[in-house]
Amino acid sequence: MTVDNGQLLSLLGLCRAASLCSFGHGAAKSSLREGKARLCLLCADASPRLAEEFQFLAESAAVPLRNIAATSLDIKHATQYKAAVITINDKGFAHKILALTP
């Protein structure tokens, strides 16, 4: 399945505009721990240490985790936030993004 990065980034931009996502290590970690997260996304340039940490956190919170082809710079262009990890805190956006990601 080919992922359309443009469509994914557009959805992330809408999600950010609606304040339904958390960007960066601290915010994403809090979102997972507080039970707000519905999906966790790791950018292509996320460090192995960050990926390992969030894999554990997502599993502990029973939240799906997806690696995306977009880099943190791509995320910055789409959302105005540079982050290697993002949590989606809305069921609808999470469902749509899960449909786009393998």
Side-chain angles (χ1 to χ4, degrees):
M1 174 182 183
T2 304
V3 176
D4 180 0
N5 244 5
Q7 191 174 7
L8 176 65
L9 293 172
S10 179
L11 276 173
L12 287 175
L14 288 171
C15 191
R16 188 215 52 93
S19 299
L20 296 173
C21 49
S22 301
F23 291 90
H25 183 272
K29 191 173 182 178
S30 292
S31 180
L32 284 163
R33 286 190 170 163
E34 294 169 8
K36 294 179 184 176
R38 299 290 173 251
L39 173 63
C40 185
L41 301 174
L42 285 173
C43 292
D45 57 350
S47 72
R49 183 173 176 232
L50 183 75
E52 184 178 326
E53 178 181 2
F54 275 88
Q55 176 137 11
F56 174 77
L57 288 169
E59 284 177 14
S60 297
V63 171
L65 179 128
R66 294 291 186 270
N67 293 303
I68 59 174
T71 65
S72 56
L73 190 58
D74 295 331
I75 298 299
K76 183 176 190 241
H77 287 221
T79 66
Q80 305 305 310
Y81 290 97
K82 185 175 180 186
V85 62
I86 303 162
T87 58
I88 307 302
N89 304 329
D90 176 76
K91 185 178 175 182
F93 276 111
H95 180 72
K96 183 65 176 169
I97 291 170
L98 278 169
L100 290 175
T101 56

